[in-house]
Amino acid sequence: MTRGHGAHPARATRWIIATCIAAGRCAGSAPANAAPPLGADAPLPWRATTSSPSPGQPRTDSSALFATCGAYDATLTQVASRIALRQVRGEGLAPPEELSFLMRASGQPHVWPRAFSVEGGLDDDDLALRLTRWSKAVTSQGERRCGLAQWHKADGTRLVAAVAVDAIADLDPLPTLVRPGQWLTATGRMLVPVHEAKVVLLGPRGLPRAAVATVDDRGRFRSTFSLDKPGKWLVQVLATTATGPRPVLEAYVFAADAPPTRFIAQPAPGEDAERGPGDATSAMRRMMDAARATEGLSPLAPDATLDQLAREHAARMVAAKTLGHDVGGGDPGARMRDAGLRAQAAGENVAVAATVARAHRALWSSPSHRGNLLDGRFKRAGVAVTTGDDGRAWVAVLFAD
């Protein structure tokens, strides 16, 4: 990418910038009064391919709610049903990493899902109002899609759960199980204008690596690559949109290994370093440096100018309710030039999550973000964490050599 994730001439600034998952509260449509689909100990089935869209029609008793939640999507509805099952069992909303895991197992490739659940003596008007408030909490880009699940408990309490995404692109079927060394071709269609695209592959070991992708004038993209080691691979499609480079699609592909049948939380390296003196920004910096140390990399030196630029960008994202690299203040390159900074290698990560530790975990789980964090050329970083009106942590990190 010109401003994104790719190799550039030695004298040019290399931008490796990406954005992370947003975990909030939304709403979703399985039949009311239905039994939950799986018991607490039932293994999780995986679809044979990952693809989108997944069209269908909502039940008549739920169709009005989709006017506020988004266009009906069948696989999102399956995910919403699993969220409802957690609620029925008294487990609460799925944390962001488990929500992402459920999305991938269902064959749903979209990123940054948002979840919502509510229960009680609710009528449709009250639900629609709650969904409208949730919808306005995040600025949309692309096509909003939704899954809505409703259950009635034995005591008559109504429970509604949902998951929604903003679809920036759609993915043609990509297999879940392959042979090590097998060549794959990922194809699909961009739903918004994009400048460039690429694919980033995160394997069972080592740093992420990039694969070239092409986008034609109809928005069709294509990338061919091989998975050369056995194990779990995350395939991430990135595109440069109006707000800068960002992930638009993700899929898990398992080379020779069977997919896991249950979610097991995996803390990110460095996550324990959250605890310590100082504020959330200090905690974010400690976690980043601790994660780099696990790969033999030195801590990132603080830089007052980069810190200020990060604070300003985090505040703009909160005000715009949008994750992005250009939300009104220019892209990272423009912001650094305006501040009088020059760098041969630079990058930016942004994220929003319920806590700063969740943001760090989500950044580590994303191939493009981990690539930034573990880039050995980066020697300094500006870090900022700003709390939004909803209490979530909005993170901006600017890296430079």
Side-chain angles (χ1 to χ4, degrees):
M1 293 184 178
T2 304
R3 305 194 311 268
H5 312 65
H8 293 262
R11 294 180 60 84
T13 296
R14 178 176 181 246
W15 285 104
I16 319 172
I17 37 189
T19 318
C20 199
I21 113 178
R25 299 181 69 84
C26 146
S29 171
N33 299 315
L38 290 174
D41 298 323
L44 180 68
W46 282 70
R47 285 189 59 186
T49 61
T50 300
S51 65
S52 65
S54 182
Q57 292 294 326
R59 288 173 52 90
T60 302
D61 59 2
S62 299
S63 57
L65 294 177
F66 281 91
T68 55
C69 185
Y72 175 86
D73 184 277
T75 56
L76 289 176
T77 295
Q78 294 173 12
V79 177
S81 296
R82 295 187 182 279
I83 292 174
L85 174 59
R86 288 178 57 91
Q87 299 291 103
V88 169
R89 298 200 302 250
E91 297 175 4
L93 271 178
E97 58 270 25
E98 184 170 356
L99 177 57
S100 178
F101 178 81
L102 293 174
M103 295 272 288
R104 303 302 160 246
S106 72
Q108 167 61 246
H110 295 112
V111 300
W112 308 352
R114 300 180 298 280
F116 167 92
S117 71
V118 65
E119 60 180 286
L122 304 169
D123 59 27
D124 283 352
D125 289 341
D126 188 16
L127 271 175
L129 179 60
R130 291 170 185 250
L131 286 173
T132 299
R133 288 173 178 168
W134 163 82
S135 182
K136 291 181 177 179
V138 178
T139 302
S140 298
Q141 184 180 9
E143 178 183 314
R144 180 159 295 184
R145 298 175 187 170
C146 184
L148 175 66
Q150 301 189 66
W151 311 100
H152 287 292
K153 293 185 176 181
D155 62 2
T157 300
R158 185 184 189 184
L159 186 151
V160 178
V163 61
V165 298
D166 291 335
I168 305 297
D170 279 322
L171 180 68
D172 297 333
L174 188 70
T176 301
L177 291 172
V178 301
R179 302 183 309 276
Q182 179 176 339
W183 285 87
L184 299 175
T185 298
T187 60
R189 181 172 67 95
M190 298 294 174
L191 303 179
V192 302
V194 303
H195 304 300
E196 293 177 284
K198 72 181 300 182
V199 168
V200 181
L201 309 170
L202 182 60
R205 297 180 302 280
L207 294 174
R209 59 184 174 89
V212 174
T214 60
V215 183
D216 65 22
D217 55 8
R218 297 173 299 165
R220 294 285 306 175
F221 69 86
R222 180 183 183 90
S223 179
T224 299
F225 50 86
S226 69
L227 307 181
D228 56 358
K229 299 183 183 72
K232 181 180 75 173
W233 290 79
L234 179 60
V235 178
Q236 186 181 72
V237 180
L238 297 106
T240 303
T241 70
T243 58
R246 54 159 290 172
V248 295
L249 298 165
E250 290 182 348
Y252 280 134
V253 179
F254 296 86
D257 283 7
T261 58
R262 289 176 178 82
F263 171 76
I264 300 176
Q266 298 289 337
E271 196 169 318
D272 288 345
E274 179 196 17
R275 295 182 292 274
D279 57 10
T281 297
S282 300
M284 189 69 195
R285 187 178 288 278
R286 285 195 302 272
M287 289 187 289
M288 290 167 48
D289 287 341
R292 284 172 59 91
T294 65
E295 298 292 332
L297 297 172
S298 301
L300 293 160
D303 183 289
T305 303
L306 289 175
D307 282 342
Q308 180 62 30
L309 292 175
R311 284 193 294 270
E312 292 170 354
H313 188 63
R316 279 191 292 266
M317 290 192 296
V318 170
K321 302 176 182 177
T322 301
L323 278 172
H325 300 288
D326 186 351
V327 290
D331 65 25
R335 285 182 265 130
M336 289 182 68
R337 287 191 299 272
D338 290 345
L341 291 176
R342 298 292 183 269
Q344 295 299 313
E348 181 174 73
N349 282 352
V350 295
V352 59
T355 67
V356 68
R358 293 288 187 185
H360 173 68
R361 187 181 298 185
L363 289 167
W364 179 262
S365 299
S366 169
S368 50
H369 298 82
R370 191 187 301 187
N372 278 356
L373 182 58
L374 299 182
D375 193 319
R377 296 169 305 162
F378 294 154
K379 306 302 182 186
R380 52 198 170 119
V383 182
V385 180
T386 299
T387 303
D389 294 339
D390 57 1
R392 293 186 298 169
W394 293 74
V395 178
V397 182
L398 272 169
F399 302 91
D401 57 4

